[in-house]
Amino acid sequence: MVSYPGGEAKSCGEAESCSLVRRQRELASLYATAKSLTALGELDEVLQSIVHHAHDLISADFTYLSLVGADGRLSARASEGTISSSFLAACIPAGVGLGGKVLASRSPHWVRNYAATTLIVRDPDFDRLVATEELVALLGVPLVIRGEAVGALFAGDRSERSFQADEIALLSAFADHAAVALDNARLYEASRTALQELKSAYRKIEDHMAVMQRAQAIHEALTGVVLGGGTPGDVAQLLADQLGGGVTLLDRTGTALVHRESASSPCRTPAEADLADAVKKARRSGRCTTSVGTVGVARSVASIQAGDNYLGALAWSREAVADHGTPDDTDLRTLERATHILGLLILKERAVAEAGERLSGELLTELMVGSPGISPAQRARTRARNIDTDRLDLVLVADSPTLSSTDLSHHLHDIARDRSGLAGEHLGKATMILHSIDDDRTVEEVHQRLRRTLGDPVLVIGERVVNHDWSRAFSLASRCGAVMRAIGHTDLGATTGRYALYAMIFDTERARELDRFISDSIGPLLDHDQRRGTDLVDTLSAYYAHRANVTATARALYVHVNTLLKRLDRVSNVLGPDWRHENELELQLGLRLHQLRTIATAPS
């Protein structure tokens, strides 16, 4: 003892010195970890710092920290040392392995040889990873927050070893720091999220207030337009200026009545087919609908309704690139609100128009009933409407298989206003009287306009007025219209010229008389042509059209004179040898009526 006191004293001093240095390192690491917590950095950075310091002090091959996820499985969040990516990517069920035991007991556990121990519940997948990683010794300590185990801190070696109490205590201290870091990070994240949500809510409130103020300003402007006596065109222009792009007002038939563009951000005109489809969708849904057309134009369409009465539609078009096809809901509500205002304006204009239509119809009836001639009172009343009665020299009668005469009269009123005429319903027929220079052209123009507006077949027949006798012209036009319907015409505009003779001969109220007359006069020829495949009816029609001139008829039919004579002989065989002398008038009438019927039934 004496001979080696100095040596023994020196050995004890060195041991104490090493222990002191190690303790200082541990305290310094714990202090550094605690300091990193106060920085409130990102959670992953803090956890990585804890694992790094623990790895240095425990002197293990690798150290890693795992947290329990939302699915209840453990997954690594930070690691230090040599460890494979497949091991770190593994998600281990919380109830198995050493980690499961640590979480269940909320206390440290370690094994000298992981593969050989029988004290844990095994997971085949994790065992394969352990074997691949050559993991042998493993120490795990829990991360506990307010009594709940939320993860574990592990230290592992690739050789057998025992973990000392001070090592377990040190790793547990680091785990406590990790738990505090995790809890603080969660609280910090919750506070930051709440603050962001509060800021976002505040921005939404500000944006909503701005949108509400803008919507209120537009609504006040729309109301001002109405109170100031504005027109639908003024409303459309206001919407275009406020919303941008283009605004189109369509009537019940889909025809564009008004189109206005924004001066600052105009828009290309959408394809008519796209617009028609959008109007159908809006009318079917009863709400404002938005779609993007084939030319890259986005449009929002809202129908204009007055109860169950469809008045038209309002379409807002703009470039889809700038809008992405998803306009602000407030803009859509503004568009819908504008349809209410337009509905009121349309109803107001309709009331004024209907009053004008009633007056126009009354004047038309007075002229019809009082004709021929014009009384001073009638002349004064028509002059008040800027109509010159002396120039009303054409009577038109219109008929539609799909529209009542009352509804058809409304469309005639629109034409009458444009042509300084009168329109109305007279004796159950849609009637109009106006001035005309070229009767055939006028009748055709009226027919074409009605056809475009209605989209359905319509029959228009016109008769010139002589000596202010509108009643006679109306009667003849009505009778000719009946003849036209009887022989199959449903979509035509014509004057009475080619039908007047038949209207005087036949009772137009009994259309079957025409069928019987045709059958009695040329029925045998029609039967012969149908059975034999001949063309005797057309041959005889051409024969009479050329005043029984054989040479002219043959030339018109592009046949030899002998061929024509043979055909006429066949006519004699069918009708009898005296067909040129007996009932010739009836035969010509029958042929002409058959021609008119053939024209009426021929495909267009």
Side-chain angles (χ1 to χ4, degrees):
M1 300 251 332
V2 176
S3 55
Y4 304 103
E8 292 177 1
K10 184 177 180 180
S11 298
C12 291
E14 288 179 353
E16 290 177 0
S17 177
C18 289
S19 177
L20 180 60
V21 171
R22 180 179 178 182
R23 185 61 178 166
Q24 288 175 342
R25 288 181 60 202
E26 293 173 354
L27 290 175
S29 294
L30 289 174
Y31 174 75
T33 302
K35 186 178 179 180
S36 68
L37 293 178
T38 62
L40 285 179
E42 294 294 330
L43 174 62
D44 290 339
E45 295 177 1
V46 176
L47 296 182
Q48 186 61 47
S49 175
I50 291 171
V51 171
H52 172 72
H53 288 99
H55 179 262
D56 286 346
L57 294 176
I58 298 300
S59 299
D61 287 335
F62 56 83
T63 308
Y64 66 95
L65 185 149
S66 297
L67 297 180
V68 179
D71 58 355
R73 298 167 68 88
L74 272 173
S75 59
R77 291 290 298 272
S79 66
E80 186 77 18
T82 305
I83 187 169
S84 65
S85 58
S86 59
F87 186 89
L88 290 176
C91 290
I92 312 303
V96 302
L98 187 66
K101 195 169 185 178
V102 170
L103 292 176
S105 64
R106 285 179 293 179
S107 61
H109 287 278
W110 61 276
V111 292
R112 178 186 296 273
N113 189 323
Y114 189 91
T117 185
T118 59
L119 300 177
I120 59 175
V121 179
R122 296 191 172 279
D123 178 65
D125 293 333
F126 187 64
D127 284 351
R128 282 191 291 271
L129 290 173
V130 168
T132 302
E133 195 64 34
E134 298 180 356
L135 186 149
V136 179
L138 185 64
L139 165 64
V141 295
L143 279 69
V144 180
I145 298 177
R146 287 184 286 278
E148 179 186 359
V150 297
L153 179 61
F154 297 94
D157 263 345
R158 292 186 173 85
S159 60
E160 291 190 10
R161 65 171 286 186
S162 298
F163 291 94
Q164 303 302 315
D166 59 344
E167 293 177 319
I168 297 173
L170 182 60
L171 196 63
S172 296
F174 279 108
D176 291 339
H177 281 308
V180 172
L182 179 61
D183 194 29
N184 286 346
R186 286 177 174 177
L187 293 174
Y188 177 70
E189 186 64 27
S191 300
R192 187 166 59 179
T193 301
L195 180 61
Q196 292 297 328
E197 290 177 351
L198 184 61
K199 290 181 178 179
S200 177
Y202 183 71
R203 284 193 298 269
K204 287 182 179 179
I205 291 173
E206 286 185 327
D207 293 342
H208 182 67
M209 289 297 297
V211 169
M212 291 298 295
Q213 290 175 356
R214 176 170 172 264
Q216 182 178 358
I218 295 176
H219 181 66
E220 290 176 354
L222 290 172
T223 304
V225 168
V226 176
L227 295 178
T231 65
D234 297 327
V235 173
Q237 186 62 62
L238 175 62
L239 288 173
D241 292 338
Q242 295 292 332
L243 301 178
V247 175
T248 305
L249 174 63
L250 303 105
D251 64 11
R252 291 175 295 179
T253 65
T255 302
L257 299 176
V258 173
H259 181 76
R260 297 290 186 271
E261 289 282 344
S262 167
S264 59
S265 55
C267 174
R268 291 171 296 165
T269 303
E272 291 185 6
D274 293 337
L275 189 57
D277 290 340
V279 170
K280 290 179 182 178
K281 291 178 182 177
R283 185 176 181 183
R284 193 162 48 241
S285 66
R287 295 299 304 273
C288 184
T289 60
T290 299
S291 59
V292 178
T294 56
V295 295
V297 174
R299 74 192 53 76
S300 298
V301 179
S303 61
I304 304 174
Q305 300 278 152
D308 295 333
N309 190 13
Y310 175 69
L311 303 178
L314 186 63
W316 169 36
S317 304
R318 64 269 177 209
E319 297 297 332
V321 175
D323 186 76
H324 300 291
T326 55
D328 188 273
D329 286 342
T330 305
D331 289 337
L332 298 183
R333 301 293 82 78
T334 297
L335 196 67
E336 290 181 340
R337 190 178 295 115
T339 63
H340 302 158
I341 293 175
L342 284 170
L344 293 175
L345 287 177
I346 291 172
L347 289 176
K348 174 187 173 183
E349 290 184 348
R350 179 176 292 183
V352 173
E354 287 178 351
E357 289 177 6
R358 283 195 299 272
L359 179 57
S360 176
E362 291 170 359
L363 287 172
L364 182 141
T365 300
E366 287 184 15
L367 293 178
M368 288 289 184
V369 172
S371 67
I374 310 170
S375 69
Q378 291 169 344
R379 197 182 297 277
R381 292 182 67 189
T382 54
R383 188 184 300 116
R385 293 177 58 83
N386 296 320
I387 296 174
D388 185 354
T389 318
D390 293 306
R391 289 168 57 85
L392 301 179
D393 49 14
L394 181 66
V395 172
L396 294 173
V397 177
D399 178 70
S400 169
T402 60
L403 210 63
S404 69
S405 57
T406 301
D407 292 336
L408 194 54
S409 296
H410 292 314
H411 296 286
L412 289 180
H413 277 292
D414 295 335
I415 301 174
R417 278 194 297 270
D418 296 340
R419 291 177 173 266
S420 299
L422 296 172
E425 190 175 1
H426 182 61
L427 298 181
K429 297 184 182 299
T431 308
M432 178 169 62
I433 53 177
L434 45 75
H435 172 64
S436 172
I437 297 175
D438 185 338
D439 294 349
D440 289 323
R441 181 177 179 181
T442 300
V443 174
E444 181 60 26
E445 288 176 351
V446 172
H447 171 258
Q448 290 297 329
R449 180 167 172 178
L450 286 175
R451 189 68 173 80
R452 286 194 302 269
T453 302
L454 299 178
D456 289 314
V458 63
L459 198 63
V460 179
I461 189 76
E463 169 62 10
R464 174 153 287 274
V465 177
V466 179
N467 297 326
H468 301 154
D469 195 349
W470 296 284
S471 179
R472 183 207 65 81
F474 169 81
S475 177
L476 181 56
S478 299
R479 290 174 61 84
C480 287
V483 171
M484 293 166 68
R485 288 193 301 274
I487 61 177
H489 285 296
T490 58
D491 192 16
L492 181 67
T495 56
T496 60
R498 64 170 64 175
Y499 303 97
L501 173 63
Y502 313 109
M504 290 186 291
I505 295 175
F506 298 100
D507 184 353
T508 56
E509 298 301 322
R510 292 183 289 181
R512 290 185 179 179
E513 288 186 359
L514 290 171
D515 296 330
R516 187 165 52 250
F517 180 82
I518 293 174
S519 178
D520 291 344
S521 58
I522 63 171
L525 289 177
L526 291 171
D527 292 339
H528 185 276
D529 283 347
Q530 185 174 5
R531 284 185 290 103
R532 302 291 183 86
T534 54
D535 201 14
L536 299 184
V537 171
D538 289 342
T539 299
L540 197 56
S541 297
Y543 178 72
Y544 282 124
H546 291 84
R547 300 180 181 181
N549 187 313
V550 174
T551 303
T553 304
R555 188 182 305 115
L557 295 176
Y558 299 101
V559 297
H560 195 272
V561 173
N562 291 336
T563 302
L564 175 62
L565 292 175
K566 289 180 181 179
R567 290 185 183 180
L568 294 177
D569 287 341
R570 290 196 196 99
V571 171
S572 299
N573 293 334
V574 174
L575 298 180
D578 297 328
W579 62 271
R580 288 184 176 86
H581 309 292
E582 295 181 0
N583 304 321
E584 184 178 16
L585 177 60
E586 289 86 345
L587 188 58
Q588 292 191 46
L589 285 174
L591 289 169
R592 182 57 179 154
L593 285 171
H594 174 69
Q595 281 183 320
L596 292 174
R597 173 170 287 179
T598 302
I599 295 171
T601 57
S604 57

